[in-house]
Amino acid sequence: MGILEGKRILVTGVLTDSSIAFHVARLCQEQGATVVLTGYGRLTLVERIAKRLPEPPPVLELDVTNDEHLDTLADRVAEHVDGLDGIVHSIGYTPQEALGGNFLNTRWEHVATALHTSTFSLKSLTTALLPLMKNGGSVVALDFDNSVSYPIYDWMGVAKAGLASTARYLARYLGEQKIRVNLVSAGPLNTMAARSIPGFEELAAEWPKRAPLGWDITDPEPAARAVVALLSDWFPATTGEIVHVDGGFHSTGA
């Protein structure tokens, strides 16, 4: 038996088989869970990638900034599973105008898009699915270290700081319902999302040099394993936490 035997997990953010979310979905299935995926935009691409999982799961359309999508999400998920035990938030988007060293010149409209998609969506996704989490459960979101500033990351860094704060408040308000909310802060990985950040290679190049355990930007499995562990019952009293999976980079100085 796997550590997620019998659990029902919704995973967002599967776009390619190099994404953390894809490997989370794969490991969830390997550990005994039933998985439902959501996708946005290139839905046929998500459906094609989903076929590479051990058991091709259903794929539901979800734009986390669309109230109609959110309002109908629980009912659409309920067509495939009779409840949820876990939610994986792997959603982030920042317009190019808010990245790449343009911090001082970014307009509010671009910042608002970043915060709505990357930060507020954790709250809106979680609350949309609360009717399916009647027996408690675990919400895990993917983060990037926001304790310091990084070159080029700019307003996405601010959005991730907001994500961490959002997770803490969700943990506070959902604790009575036995719902845990935690973050996995992964080091930089060579995913499609990362490659869209100007200067990503420069940022990622520092990790193997400084991380005490080293860091492989091509291997999303360590981060995915942490997500799966937090989805399981092995962390029954952990909530509002950030688990760093970055080779220890965050703990080192110059």
Side-chain angles (χ1 to χ4, degrees):
M1 289 181 59
I3 62 172
L4 296 182
E5 195 69 34
K7 293 194 180 296
R8 302 147 299 176
I9 309 293
L10 181 134
V11 181
T12 66
V14 172
L15 189 56
T16 72
D17 55 9
S18 66
S19 66
I20 299 175
F22 175 86
H23 290 274
V24 169
R26 174 179 61 80
L27 289 171
C28 282
Q29 290 185 338
E30 291 175 357
Q31 291 298 318
T34 298
V35 171
V36 177
L37 301 183
T38 70
Y40 170 63
R42 290 170 284 186
L43 209 60
T44 55
L45 174 59
V46 180
E47 291 168 343
R48 187 162 67 246
I49 297 299
K51 293 177 181 178
R52 300 179 186 178
L53 290 167
E55 182 69 31
V59 178
L60 308 180
E61 184 177 18
L62 175 63
D63 173 358
V64 287
T65 67
N66 183 316
D67 287 342
E68 183 178 349
H69 284 198
L70 290 165
D71 290 344
T72 61
L73 182 59
D75 289 339
R76 291 187 287 132
V77 172
E79 294 176 6
H80 302 280
V81 289
D82 59 358
L84 282 177
D85 303 289
I87 301 169
V88 179
H89 179 283
S90 181
I91 299 170
Y93 171 72
T94 302
Q96 291 293 302
E97 293 86 351
L99 296 165
N102 197 41
F103 186 88
L104 297 178
N105 301 315
T106 304
R107 295 168 59 91
W108 165 244
E109 61 193 88
H110 301 306
V111 174
T113 297
L115 295 177
H116 194 179
T117 310
S118 308
T119 306
F120 185 75
S121 62
L122 177 58
K123 177 267 180 188
S124 55
L125 174 68
T126 301
T127 54
L129 293 170
L130 282 180
L132 298 178
M133 301 187 78
K134 295 178 181 178
N135 297 316
S138 175
V139 178
V140 184
L142 289 166
D143 192 17
F144 186 76
D145 179 43
N146 51 75
S147 61
V148 296
S149 65
Y150 290 96
I152 69 141
Y153 207 51
D154 292 356
W155 286 100
M156 189 55 143
V158 176
K160 289 296 189 181
L163 182 75
S165 186
T166 301
R168 287 190 289 269
Y169 277 96
L170 284 172
R172 170 183 288 270
Y173 289 113
L174 296 180
E176 290 185 355
Q177 299 178 48
K178 302 302 179 185
I179 295 174
R180 297 169 284 124
V181 184
N182 294 290
L183 301 177
V184 169
S185 179
L189 291 162
N190 192 22
T191 63
M192 181 179 292
R195 290 193 298 271
S196 69
I197 300 173
F200 166 77
E201 295 81 5
E202 175 188 349
L203 177 62
E206 292 301 313
W207 244 258
K209 299 175 187 175
R210 281 183 46 192
L213 294 176
W215 183 250
D216 183 354
I217 68 169
T218 67
D219 185 9
E221 182 148 340
R225 287 190 180 192
V227 173
V228 170
L230 287 167
L231 289 170
S232 78
D233 294 331
W234 284 91
F235 285 86
T238 299
T239 194
E241 186 60 85
I242 301 175
V243 176
H244 289 84
V245 184
D246 62 355
F249 182 98
H250 74 282
S251 67
T252 64

